[in-house]
């Protein structure tokens, strides 16, 4: 049975129950029909992530490319990239985009963005002697402490500790 037909049948059952005279079971039966409808909708929504692997893969490739290009093109001055920014690039709603990324990668879109930001941060911290606040501003952070917190959350060490480790490794 196709999805549309199942959906309409569920709605018809709910409508029929509501149109009958109310008795002690009406509310429970209507609630049950609504639950079945919601279960089907969940199934249909999740199924599309399985049946559209190629399309999903293309979306992820576009996202990864846009993520890499964001800082490579000097957009860090515009602020930290947002989920909405990337969802717009791949022509999806932010919610759907987030669900797709999570299903395909096991990580949230925000986690992937954070990982890429930290990659760029590590490159800058390694290649320059710029103050950590300059690196933070270059990456789009309004406040350096937000950058430091993200860096530590992702890497387990502060940007300063990272720099010390790098300098020890080179000596």
């Amino acid at each position: 049975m196709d999805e549309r037909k199942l959906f309409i049948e569920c709605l018809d059952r709910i409508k029929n129950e509501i149109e009958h005279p109310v008795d002690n079971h009406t509310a429970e039966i209507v609630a049950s029909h609504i639950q079945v409808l919601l279960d089907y909708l969940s199934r249909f929504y999740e199924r599309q992530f399985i049946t559209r692997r190629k399309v999903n893969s293309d979306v992820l490739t576009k996202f990864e490319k846009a993520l890499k290009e964001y800082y490579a093109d000097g957009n860090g001055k515009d602020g930290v990239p947002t989920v909405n920014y990337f969802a717009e690039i791949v022509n999806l709603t932010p919610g759907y985009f987030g669900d797709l990324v999570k299903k395909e990668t096991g990580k949230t879109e925000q986690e992937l963005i954070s990982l890429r930001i930290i990659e760029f941060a590590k490159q800058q911290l390694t290649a320059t002697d710029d103050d950590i606040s300059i690196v933070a501003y270059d990456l789009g952070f309004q406040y350096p402490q937000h950058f430091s917190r993200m860096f530590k959350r992702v890497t387990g060490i502060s940007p300063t500790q990272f720099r010390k480790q790098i300098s020890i490794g080179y000596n």
Side-chain angles (χ1 to χ4, degrees):
M1 182 177 291
D2 76 347
E3 294 172 356
R4 186 176 191 283
K5 198 172 189 177
L6 271 172
F7 177 76
I8 290 170
E9 281 181 15
C10 286
L11 290 178
D12 286 343
R13 286 189 186 119
I14 293 167
K15 181 180 175 221
N16 288 339
E17 189 59 39
I18 291 172
E19 289 174 350
H20 281 94
V22 175
D23 60 30
N24 292 340
H25 302 284
T26 301
E28 187 177 334
I29 291 171
V30 169
S32 295
H33 286 311
I34 290 171
Q35 185 58 54
V36 168
L37 175 64
L38 292 172
D39 289 342
Y40 274 126
L41 292 175
S42 257
R43 172 192 273 174
F44 302 155
Y45 184 74
E46 289 174 19
R47 184 184 296 156
Q48 69 186 328
F49 294 114
I50 297 166
T51 60
R52 299 182 50 165
R53 286 270 185 231
K54 171 70 174 113
V55 172
N56 296 350
S57 177
D58 292 346
V59 167
L60 284 176
T61 301
K62 259 184 166 174
F63 169 53
E64 285 290 331
K65 182 177 182 220
L67 198 49
K68 287 177 184 173
E69 290 174 350
Y70 187 83
Y71 286 112
D73 293 346
N75 292 325
K77 305 278 189 245
D78 298 334
V80 176
T82 64
V83 172
N84 288 350
Y85 172 82
F86 293 112
E88 194 173 302
I89 286 174
V90 296
N91 297 314
L92 296 173
T93 65
Y96 185 83
F97 175 65
D99 288 347
L100 185 148
V101 170
K102 181 74 172 170
K103 290 276 186 197
E104 293 295 318
T105 68
K107 295 184 186 312
T108 67
E109 67 284 5
Q110 193 58 56
E111 287 173 310
L112 292 177
I113 292 168
S114 295
L115 289 171
R116 178 64 64 199
I117 289 170
I118 297 308
E119 280 180 36
F120 279 103
K122 286 179 176 180
Q123 289 170 7
Q124 271 195 277
L125 291 168
T126 303
T128 70
D129 289 333
D130 290 346
D131 188 73
I132 299 219
S133 61
I134 300 297
V135 173
Y137 293 130
D138 285 349
L139 292 170
F141 288 87
Q142 219 172 353
Y143 304 104
Q145 58 270 32
H146 291 170
F147 163 69
S148 293
R149 251 184 264 133
M150 177 192 282
F151 194 95
K152 186 163 187 163
R153 182 175 38 84
V154 171
T155 65
I157 59 175
S158 71
T160 305
Q161 290 169 316
F162 175 80
R163 263 214 175 126
K164 283 180 188 171
Q165 285 183 354
I166 294 301
S167 66
I168 292 169
Y170 288 135
N171 292 334

